[in-house]
Amino acid sequence: MAGNSDAEIVIIGSGISGLSAAHKLVHSGFDKVRILEATSRSGGRIQTANIGNVITEIGASYIHGASEQNPVFCLSLDYGLLDPEASLPENMAMEVDERPPFIPNYFSSSGQRLSAEIMNPARDLFNELMDDINEFQDPKEKPWPNIGHFLQSEARKRAAERWKHKDKTTQKLLLCAISAMVKGECTSNATTTMENIDIEGYCIYKPLPGLDCTFPGGFEGLVKKLMMELPADLVSYNRPVRCIHWNNTEDRVNTVTVECDDAEKITADHVIVTVSLGYLKKHHSTLFSPPLPAHKLLSIHKLGYGTCNKIYVEFDFPWWDDDCEIIYLVWNDEEDIVDHVSDLKTSWIRKLSTFTVLKHPKTETYQKNSHVLCGWISGHEAEHMETLTEQQLRQALIGLFHTFTGDPSVTPKRILRTQWFNDPWACGSFCYPAIGFIADDLKNMAEPLPTTEPLQVLFAGEATHSEAFSTVHGALLSGWREADRLINHYSSFSSSS
């Protein structure tokens, strides 16, 4: 086998997993590394934009678990990309399980502002239920078929006992608020309904300590820093791959051929595939020759993959409190705890139940005209939202805000939406633990082809990480993992030569 300097490695995709793999390989002495990127930019599902003069994230928004255990956080600190408060000891030690203690405002569909003092018991109960899910890590202890059923049944049961002394109107509103929060949890899992989420699979994910944080200058800053430390010509843009030809033999010289859409054929010793799970689901039959093994295909099928979109809305003035960090829109007829709609055309907007407030430095310009909310929507409702014209979306949002504020002057100034479902390379947002999904499926996702040497085709990406799937740090770690696989492979070969 050739030494490090002679090994030809092709990485498909310049998202964070592809870049992290390339970064580690190049800095370990591999100088024949090349990335083929289908689009005109690096970053993949990390993308930063603007609405007015406010920075927005089209893709990933948060560093989940801002602590020393998170490599994305550590790299971002090293690069000077974060606010100083992100590294405060108390923030790094906080256990939030990706549910930051945001200060809420509540509005009802009757056009009324609801008291946080009255409504916060709903959030306390919801957080308690989400914490209790982790008690069901033993597959034998699953009295509920899925997380949605658990949330719905347990919320009603505990509410009936806990709130029995409250008046009927308050009891109903609190259950409706939990409905809004379950919809918000759907966006955290990129799913249409929490009934799609497997309890055992959900418990495989391991949250990191640390208060979630954002990038003041945008998440793309991390991508740019990584790119600056790579050779300038390492990424070839606008180079979609048509097929990866692997031969499943022990021939050790140029065992893989990457066929591009323009018919160019590139030979390599190893290929690291970092395409999204959505793209794999859609194109695996043509992307690999011979086809993927049956057990890998089964795991690709079993692991869920969905859409989480964001709708940024700028207003001339804030209609929420100065300290507000999240807004819940509470439909007052959803006491049955409804997390999806039956008629997408007429009711998709109901899925848009949570808005986070974009916090920026209180400059004079910001105070005057930069009041921005980020609305979160997932599943089939998010997919339907992508089909609307700009005017249809605007009218739907105007109706929503008028309904909940009761104020006809609350009108969007600018709107910016994401459209990940119809992105031909992402085909959605990120993976989730669908019903029947187990830990072995993640092992299958990360398994190279062939399973022993010479490691012709390797796999990285958020959907291949055993404990941090669906996250940026999971994607980054998966890139490092595959780089280490090759580094160790050549170290073993050198020591045995």
Side-chain angles (χ1 to χ4, degrees):
M1 181 74 73
N4 289 15
S5 61
D6 296 323
E8 296 182 347
I9 302 171
V10 171
I11 299 171
I12 299 175
S14 64
I16 196 69
S17 55
L19 291 175
S20 63
H23 194 269
K24 182 163 246 189
L25 288 168
V26 168
H27 286 80
S28 297
F30 291 83
D31 55 14
K32 292 186 178 178
V33 179
R34 179 179 183 184
I35 297 179
L36 300 178
E37 167 56 42
T39 73
S40 59
R41 52 174 287 274
S42 287
R45 284 166 279 168
I46 293 174
Q47 185 177 1
T48 300
N50 293 81
I51 180 168
N53 61 359
V54 176
I55 291 172
T56 60
E57 301 292 3
I58 301 301
S61 293
Y62 297 101
I63 298 178
H64 291 300
S67 63
E68 292 178 353
Q69 288 121 292
N70 190 326
V72 173
F73 177 72
C74 294
L75 277 175
S76 303
L77 272 185
D78 290 344
Y79 289 139
L81 299 174
L82 302 178
D83 281 334
E85 66 179 25
S87 57
L88 292 175
E90 57 268 32
N91 288 342
M92 292 174 65
M94 192 177 293
E95 299 279 353
V96 299
D97 198 13
E98 296 191 15
R99 292 191 302 279
F102 288 149
I103 298 172
N105 281 179
Y106 301 86
F107 293 83
S108 82
S109 55
S110 60
Q112 295 177 319
R113 172 78 173 271
L114 303 171
S115 162
E117 183 180 358
I118 293 174
M119 300 306 296
N120 276 343
R123 192 167 70 157
D124 294 340
L125 177 53
F126 175 76
N127 288 339
E128 176 187 301
L129 291 170
M130 294 305 300
D131 289 339
D132 286 351
I133 290 171
N134 292 319
E135 295 181 6
F136 305 113
Q137 295 189 33
D138 184 347
K140 297 176 183 177
E141 299 179 8
K142 289 201 302 182
W144 294 274
N146 55 64
I147 286 185
H149 191 272
F150 166 76
L151 291 173
Q152 191 176 57
S153 59
E154 278 296 295
R156 290 173 181 165
K157 176 184 174 182
R158 299 184 195 187
E161 175 60 29
R162 197 166 299 180
W163 302 334
K164 60 185 178 183
H165 299 301
K166 297 181 183 294
D167 64 81
K168 295 297 182 183
T169 300
T170 300
Q171 290 181 37
K172 180 180 176 180
L173 274 175
L174 288 170
L175 286 171
C176 292
I178 288 179
S179 178
M181 294 167 195
V182 176
K183 292 177 192 174
E185 190 64 25
C186 286
T187 65
S188 297
N189 291 271
T191 187
T192 300
T193 170
M194 292 304 290
E195 293 176 9
N196 291 340
I197 308 298
D198 187 272
I199 291 179
E200 182 183 353
Y202 184 89
C203 293
I204 294 172
Y205 178 86
K206 303 300 180 188
L208 298 175
L211 184 65
D212 291 359
C213 67
T214 58
F215 290 81
F219 221 129
E220 255 186 36
L222 177 61
V223 173
K224 292 175 181 176
K225 290 290 188 180
L226 288 172
M227 291 290 294
M228 288 171 62
E229 295 180 355
L230 292 172
D233 59 349
L234 187 137
V235 182
S236 298
Y237 293 103
N238 301 306
R239 299 302 307 277
V241 170
R242 179 182 300 166
C243 185
I244 301 162
H245 301 273
W246 61 291
N247 57 25
N248 202 16
T249 72
E250 295 187 1
D251 177 10
R252 295 173 180 270
V253 180
N254 290 334
T255 56
V256 193
T257 300
V258 178
E259 181 183 355
C260 299
D261 267 7
D262 62 4
E264 181 187 0
K265 293 184 178 180
I266 302 169
T267 57
D269 294 295
H270 314 280
V271 173
I272 302 177
V273 179
T274 75
V275 301
S276 74
L277 174 61
Y279 192 85
L280 274 181
K281 284 178 177 285
K282 195 171 183 178
H283 299 287
H284 67 79
S285 62
T286 57
L287 188 59
F288 299 93
S289 179
L292 295 175
H295 67 285
K296 186 180 277 282
L297 281 176
L298 179 61
S299 294
I300 288 172
H301 174 72
K302 287 171 65 180
L303 183 53
Y305 186 82
T307 301
C308 172
N309 276 321
K310 290 175 276 192
I311 304 174
Y312 291 99
V313 190
E314 183 181 19
F315 297 90
D316 284 321
F317 59 90
W319 43 273
W320 52 90
D321 290 344
D322 286 344
D323 63 350
C324 175
E325 295 171 303
I326 189 167
I327 294 171
Y328 293 110
L329 302 185
V330 180
W331 292 91
N332 54 18
D333 60 354
E334 292 186 349
E335 65 269 26
D336 289 337
I337 307 181
V338 181
D339 67 0
H340 61 286
V341 305
S342 55
D343 187 334
L344 289 174
K345 187 174 182 180
T346 61
S347 303
W348 71 269
I349 194 83
R350 279 179 173 254
K351 191 63 166 279
L352 196 63
S353 66
T354 57
F355 286 80
T356 47
V357 181
L358 267 64
K359 298 291 186 181
H360 291 275
K362 298 289 195 216
T363 62
E364 183 179 351
T365 303
Y366 171 78
Q367 290 175 331
K368 285 183 177 178
N369 59 11
S370 298
H371 309 287
V372 179
L373 298 178
C374 176
W376 300 80
I377 187 167
S378 64
H380 296 320
E381 295 88 347
E383 296 167 13
H384 178 76
M385 181 275 294
E386 293 189 23
T387 70
L388 302 178
T389 65
E390 297 293 328
Q391 183 59 27
Q392 288 172 327
L393 178 60
R394 172 175 287 276
Q395 288 305 119
L397 290 170
I398 289 173
L400 183 74
F401 295 126
H402 288 181
T403 295
F404 279 87
T405 65
D407 184 351
S409 68
V410 175
T411 302
K413 178 180 178 181
R414 293 186 184 92
I415 298 169
L416 174 66
R417 61 174 158 177
T418 67
Q419 295 174 291
W420 287 108
F421 180 70
N422 284 296
D423 183 297
W425 309 109
C427 304
S429 301
F430 48 85
C431 73
Y432 63 83
I435 301 299
F437 163 78
I438 59 176
D440 283 347
D441 292 311
L442 288 169
K443 293 179 182 177
N444 292 340
M445 293 295 299
E447 186 180 77
L449 302 175
T451 55
T452 57
E453 295 183 3
L455 302 176
Q456 296 168 11
V457 185
L458 301 88
F459 294 84
E462 52 90 12
T464 73
H465 195 276
S466 60
E467 295 181 345
F469 49 86
S470 80
T471 67
V472 176
H473 65 270
L476 184 143
L477 285 168
S478 74
W480 283 356
R481 180 195 67 220
E482 297 311 307
D484 283 335
R485 196 191 299 271
L486 290 177
I487 292 166
N488 294 334
H489 171 71
Y490 280 93
S491 296
S492 299
F493 178 78
S494 296
S495 62
S496 63
S497 303

